Amino acid sequence: MLTKFAVADEAAALTEFWSQRVLATANGNLLKVAKGTRSTTWHAHDDQDETFLVLSGELTIQLRDGDVRLTPGDLLVIPRGVEHCPRVEGDEAHFLLIGPDVTSTAAGGKPDWSHG
């Protein structure tokens, strides 16, 4: 049976920042919602690209050679191995992540204060 998702509502319903919830799989990829506040820690994913699609709020992806500002509707693919640090401008941002695994690093950049 097919399942329809209200992606923005799914992201808003998350109770923990920088955690991911898998909504669906497609072509070997997971489609995950997440919400963030403040920032993660610097990290890289050596075995996968990471794709961000911003649903609400403003997300700045800090890179060692400059920042990329994302607003609702913006999509950015961070190539595997590229060190990055997502930072939310304002109270919180909601986004969709697309990739083959929930996360390929133990913490996935999740800051210590956000662990529930």
Side-chain angles (χ1 to χ4, degrees):
M1 181 166 171
L2 298 177
T3 303
K4 174 181 143 181
F5 295 95
V7 179
D9 293 344
E10 295 284 347
L14 293 170
T15 58
E16 189 174 318
F17 290 108
W18 301 113
S19 288
Q20 304 168 7
R21 180 169 173 267
V22 175
L23 296 182
T25 61
N27 299 312
N29 286 299
L30 301 177
L31 291 98
K32 308 160 282 188
V33 289
K35 73 177 179 180
T37 191
R38 299 173 16 201
S39 73
T40 67
T41 59
W42 282 92
H43 65 284
H45 304 279
D46 293 330
D47 59 350
Q48 64 180 272
D49 301 330
E50 187 169 30
T51 303
F52 287 86
L53 174 62
V54 175
L55 304 169
S56 67
E58 184 178 322
L59 184 66
T60 297
I61 305 298
Q62 299 173 102
L63 303 166
R64 294 299 184 186
D65 61 355
D67 295 349
V68 179
R69 179 179 168 259
L70 304 173
T71 58
D74 289 342
L75 180 134
L76 179 69
V77 177
I78 301 169
R80 67 190 69 211
V82 172
E83 196 174 16
H84 58 287
C85 181
R87 180 185 73 227
V88 172
E89 307 299 336
D91 292 334
E92 64 183 53
H94 301 170
F95 42 95
L96 181 72
L97 296 164
I98 303 166
D101 296 310
V102 172
T103 186
S104 63
T105 58
K110 190 173 172 61
D112 289 338
W113 57 261
S114 69
H115 290 274

